[in-house]
Amino acid sequence: MTQETSKRIILAKRPVGMPTIEDFQFEEGPLPQPGEGEVLIRTSYLSVDPYMRGRMNDRKSYVPPYELGKVILGGAVGEVILSQADEFQVGDIVVGNLGWQTHAVAKANQLKKVDEQLAPITTALGILGMTGLTAYFGLLDIGQPKAEETVVVSGAAGAVGTVVGQIAKIKGCRVVGIAGSDAKIRYLIDELGFDAAINYKATDRRAVLAKECPNGVDVYFDNVGGEISDDVMLLLNKHARIPICGQIALYNMTKPDFGPRMQSQLLITSSLMKGFIVSDYLQRFEEGAIQLAEWVKEGRLKYREQIAEGFENTVDAFLGLFTGENLGKQLVRVK
Amino acid sequence: MTQETSKRIILAKRPVGMPTIEDFQFEEGPLPQPGEGEVLIRTSYLSVDPYMRGRMNDRKSYVPPYELGKVILGGAVGEVILSQADEFQVGDIVVGNLGWQTHAVAKANQLKKVDEQLAPITTALGILGMTGLTAYFGLLDIGQPKAEETVVVSGAAGAVGTVVGQIAKIKGCRVVGIAGSDAKIRYLIDELGFDAAINYKATDRRAVLAKECPNGVDVYFDNVGGEISDDVMLLLNKHARIPICGQIALYNMTKPDFGPRMQSQLLITSSLMKGFIVSDYLQRFEEGAIQLAEWVKEGRLKYREQIAEGFENTVDAFLGLFTGENLGKQLVRVK
């Protein structure tokens, strides 16, 4: 009988530009043991997200950088297999910031129980988890879309973008997505009900954008940054709102990001631009989670998950986020 | 006996880069006649403001461009010399968007009576007028400064900047001004009570800024844009607020304004950047005017006016705004 062991992925080197498999290292060891008030979890699904790339750099950011030689942290769901905490029993399904590992020890107060009856447990990492909440608060609190307004979302086929566009449709807006392949564009229009979607690789992107936003842009939900954003900024209406959620176009850049400064555009349109991270809304997570679950139940919010099979493919799944391969939420099934 | 005539300055050409005297034309003619509900005003003081440069370009902006061949519009105070409106009598002092001319006809509902007892009538164009209100709403509504926070203001010795810094002091903040001469810096610190002021021409500007903002920057009130702003943006604290009031560094640029894109900085600090124009707050002008007058009366808000003598010097006074000559509010005494 083989003893169960724990595998984990640590940050071996800080990537320069696009990360490679050499920046990571797989480790194996005995199962960690929970202390008082802690539980041991066998992870079932891991989340891989674009923001993680930022944490691999050694620079001040909205979350501290990953430490070299330590496990890559990120959301995961799993099953409690040993409990030293009153709040959890063996067999409970939980979600938390467990990291890229097959087993994790966590304090009870850093975990949330997942309701298996409500929806597949993977949704706790996506539409009903941080991804959904990011879209919900960024769009509704900063973007404040009103019926009939035009909402443009970049990275539209990504995990956050798909939710943003659908919530904007629920709010009665004209929704224009920007994505990187014809398949994604078809998905946004045909399956998610976007009014229009634009391939950012189009040579006449600026003209196409203007054509699809005949009344200008009231909300620009920005996941990507760079030149795509430059083009959208030219179409802002008076009092436009721009939630800055991510800048995926820049995460692997090794040079400073230069472009037209945005201040004049914001000035002449009295527009608002605001960066945010979902934890800014920690006090309102419950509100968001209830609303998202309701919309999912009513069939008004659809989602797609792309699941890589096997813990050993975690790094590949992560790298795929930057090559335009994934559509919707990217997860890894541990085993 | 000579008949009184009216003089006015029209936009003859759209300036390219820094305007020159040739872009303007002086005209003289008979006095205009007020219609029903209108008054004829002899202007006493004209306002010259940086934002006017923007209106000389033929591009979409927060206010429509000036028309070629038409009088340059802008704030002015003057005396009613003929009234066809019940609301005003001959001898009343009024303020309105009267333009660069010695006489103007205006509708009663576009004028405001100036209380000569409250303060010198020039203040209706400055500290108690659009200038003061611009500082008041931009700083308090967008900047939302809290006691102990650090507020940086660029164009600090200008009409708006001097008011911004003083209101921030009233709110208990550490206030750091950025200006363009040692005389201005002394004025800001010695007379207005700024905690620090920095010459933007300093070669080690970035280091000096960091030194004067040891706790980072919570509010950056931006009047100038360009590279000065780039440097301030590096010091933003979490949840910083950046009212964009003007971009004087750019108004005379003939090339597009390129620099580091701001979105990443806003993202990693969850900061807010918002452009505005004072008319966004039209509904709250009364509130602002009352508070400003109270602070002036209490001696907590000081102001300095620089008054060019003679209508014929209006263009020169305007051009001086872009060469770093003026300190405080720049006005022209018509005669």
Side-chain angles (χ1 to χ4, degrees):
Chain A
M1 181 179 148
T2 333
Q3 180 84 27
E4 189 172 359
T5 60
S6 172
K7 293 176 193 162
R8 53 194 209 131
I9 302 171
I10 65 165
L11 185 64
K13 291 192 303 211
R14 300 208 179 274
V16 177
M18 180 75 183
T20 67
I21 192 82
E22 280 76 41
D23 297 322
F24 305 93
Q25 194 173 314
F26 284 72
E27 288 188 344
E28 189 163 1
L31 294 196
Q33 293 302 311
E36 191 56 39
E38 296 181 332
V39 300
L40 175 62
I41 300 146
R42 184 190 292 130
T43 55
S44 312
Y45 294 93
L46 311 180
S47 183
V48 294
D49 298 283
Y51 81 86
M52 294 174 154
R53 176 63 187 87
R55 295 192 69 181
M56 292 173 189
N57 294 333
D58 188 16
R59 83 178 264 228
K60 185 180 156 187
S61 180
Y62 47 76
V63 281
Y66 290 132
E67 289 180 58
L68 282 176
K70 295 280 175 71
V71 68
I72 306 278
L73 288 174
V77 287
E79 184 183 348
V80 173
I81 57 172
L82 199 60
S83 177
Q84 297 265 38
D86 296 340
E87 298 90 331
F88 295 101
Q89 298 181 334
V90 170
D92 281 349
I93 303 296
V94 295
V95 61
N97 193 29
L98 305 176
W100 290 357
Q101 51 190 345
T102 60
H103 300 78
V105 160
K107 288 195 167 62
N109 64 10
Q110 293 172 338
L111 297 170
K112 213 183 126 193
K113 216 170 280 192
V114 175
D115 180 356
E116 295 173 78
Q117 309 306 315
L118 184 67
I121 64 171
T122 49
T123 60
L125 294 172
I127 186 85
L128 300 183
M130 292 305 143
T131 302
L133 292 169
T134 297
Y136 181 90
F137 290 111
L139 179 65
L140 297 183
D141 190 70
I142 302 173
Q144 307 222 358
K146 293 171 205 61
E148 313 295 330
E149 287 190 330
T150 297
V151 174
V152 172
V153 52
S154 61
V160 172
T162 51
V163 185
V164 167
Q166 292 180 87
I167 297 178
K169 284 308 298 176
I170 290 171
K171 296 294 175 184
C173 301
R174 173 174 178 79
V175 177
V176 179
I178 305 176
S181 76
D182 291 342
K184 288 178 179 180
I185 284 167
R186 290 264 55 90
Y187 172 68
L188 295 174
I189 297 174
D190 297 344
E191 294 196 40
L192 300 187
F194 281 45
D195 296 285
I198 290 165
N199 191 327
Y200 72 79
K201 295 167 185 165
T203 49
D204 56 345
R205 180 176 68 207
R206 196 178 286 184
V208 177
L209 254 172
K211 183 175 149 279
E212 296 297 356
C213 302
N215 301 319
V217 174
D218 300 292
V219 179
Y220 172 45
F221 192 103
D222 183 17
N223 286 304
V224 307
E227 293 181 2
I228 295 171
S229 291
D230 298 344
D231 288 351
V232 180
M233 293 291 291
L234 298 174
L235 301 173
L236 294 186
N237 286 332
K238 186 93 183 161
H239 297 298
R241 290 83 64 196
I242 305 152
I244 305 284
C245 178
Q247 296 278 279
I248 198 170
L250 318 180
Y251 290 161
N252 295 315
M253 277 179 73
T254 50
K255 291 181 196 163
D257 174 39
F258 273 64
R261 288 194 186 86
M262 294 298 149
Q263 285 95 326
S264 291
Q265 251 343 78
L266 297 178
L267 177 60
I268 65 179
T269 59
S270 284
S271 292
L272 176 151
M273 181 180 267
K274 188 178 182 319
F276 77 104
I277 177 173
V278 66
S279 57
D280 293 342
Y281 297 95
L282 198 58
Q283 305 305 324
R284 294 175 55 195
F285 275 8
E286 198 59 27
E287 163 206 329
I290 289 171
Q291 180 61 79
L292 289 165
E294 196 175 302
W295 282 331
V296 168
K297 204 172 138 195
E298 295 170 353
R300 302 176 78 185
L301 264 193
K302 296 174 188 169
Y303 60 94
R304 202 183 277 193
E305 292 165 345
Q306 204 157 306
I307 300 181
E309 291 295 335
F311 181 70
E312 66 280 10
N313 290 315
T314 302
V315 173
D316 281 345
F318 172 68
L319 298 180
L321 297 171
F322 302 103
T323 52
E325 287 168 21
N326 78 302
L327 193 158
K329 180 69 184 179
Q330 181 67 55
L331 299 171
V332 176
R333 193 197 316 264
V334 176
K335 57 186 275 176
Chain B
M1 179 182 148
T2 333
Q3 180 84 29
E4 189 171 0
T5 59
S6 172
K7 293 177 193 163
R8 53 192 210 134
I9 302 171
I10 65 165
L11 184 65
K13 290 192 301 209
R14 299 207 179 275
V16 177
M18 180 75 182
T20 68
I21 193 83
E22 280 75 41
D23 297 321
F24 305 92
Q25 194 173 313
F26 284 72
E27 289 188 344
E28 188 163 1
L31 295 195
Q33 293 303 311
E36 190 57 38
E38 295 183 331
V39 300
L40 174 62
I41 300 146
R42 185 189 293 127
T43 55
S44 312
Y45 294 92
L46 311 179
S47 184
V48 294
D49 298 284
Y51 80 87
M52 294 175 155
R53 176 63 186 88
R55 295 192 67 180
M56 293 173 189
N57 293 333
D58 187 18
R59 83 177 265 227
K60 184 180 155 187
S61 180
Y62 48 77
V63 280
Y66 290 133
E67 288 179 59
L68 282 176
K70 295 280 174 71
V71 69
I72 306 277
L73 288 174
V77 286
E79 184 183 346
V80 173
I81 58 172
L82 198 59
S83 177
Q84 297 264 38
D86 296 339
E87 298 91 330
F88 294 100
Q89 299 181 334
V90 169
D92 280 350
I93 304 296
V94 295
V95 61
N97 192 31
L98 305 176
W100 289 358
Q101 49 190 344
T102 60
H103 299 77
V105 160
K107 289 197 166 60
N109 64 10
Q110 293 172 339
L111 297 170
K112 213 184 125 191
K113 216 170 278 192
V114 174
D115 180 356
E116 295 173 77
Q117 309 306 314
L118 184 68
I121 64 171
T122 50
T123 59
L125 294 172
I127 185 87
L128 299 182
M130 291 304 143
T131 302
L133 292 169
T134 297
Y136 181 89
F137 290 112
L139 179 66
L140 297 182
D141 189 70
I142 302 172
Q144 307 222 358
K146 293 170 205 60
E148 313 295 331
E149 287 190 330
T150 297
V151 175
V152 172
V153 52
S154 60
V160 172
T162 51
V163 185
V164 168
Q166 291 179 90
I167 297 178
K169 284 307 299 176
I170 289 171
K171 296 295 174 184
C173 300
R174 173 173 178 79
V175 177
V176 179
I178 305 177
S181 76
D182 290 344
K184 289 178 179 181
I185 283 167
R186 290 264 54 90
Y187 172 68
L188 295 174
I189 297 174
D190 296 344
E191 294 196 41
L192 300 188
F194 280 46
D195 296 285
I198 290 166
N199 192 325
Y200 71 79
K201 295 166 184 165
T203 50
D204 56 344
R205 179 177 68 208
R206 197 180 285 185
V208 178
L209 253 173
K211 184 175 149 280
E212 296 296 357
C213 302
N215 300 318
V217 174
D218 300 293
V219 179
Y220 171 46
F221 192 103
D222 183 17
N223 287 305
V224 306
E227 293 181 2
I228 295 171
S229 291
D230 298 344
D231 288 352
V232 180
M233 292 292 291
L234 298 174
L235 300 173
L236 295 186
N237 285 333
K238 185 93 184 162
H239 298 297
R241 289 83 63 197
I242 305 152
I244 305 284
C245 177
Q247 297 279 281
I248 197 170
L250 318 181
Y251 291 162
N252 294 316
M253 277 179 73
T254 49
K255 291 181 196 163
D257 174 38
F258 272 64
R261 288 195 186 85
M262 294 298 151
Q263 286 94 328
S264 291
Q265 257 333 84
L266 297 178
L267 178 60
I268 64 179
T269 59
S270 286
S271 291
L272 176 150
M273 180 179 268
K274 186 177 180 323
F276 75 104
I277 177 172
V278 67
S279 57
D280 293 342
Y281 297 95
L282 198 58
Q283 305 305 323
R284 293 175 56 196
F285 275 9
E286 199 60 28
E287 163 206 329
I290 290 171
Q291 179 61 80
L292 290 164
E294 196 175 302
W295 282 331
V296 169
K297 202 171 141 198
E298 294 170 352
R300 302 176 79 184
L301 264 192
K302 296 175 189 167
Y303 60 93
R304 201 183 278 194
E305 293 165 346
Q306 205 158 305
I307 299 181
E309 291 295 336
F311 182 70
E312 66 279 11
N313 290 316
T314 303
V315 173
D316 280 345
F318 171 68
L319 298 180
L321 297 172
F322 303 103
T323 52
E325 286 168 23
N326 79 302
L327 194 157
K329 180 69 185 180
Q330 180 67 55
L331 299 171
V332 176
R333 192 196 319 263
V334 175
K335 57 185 280 174

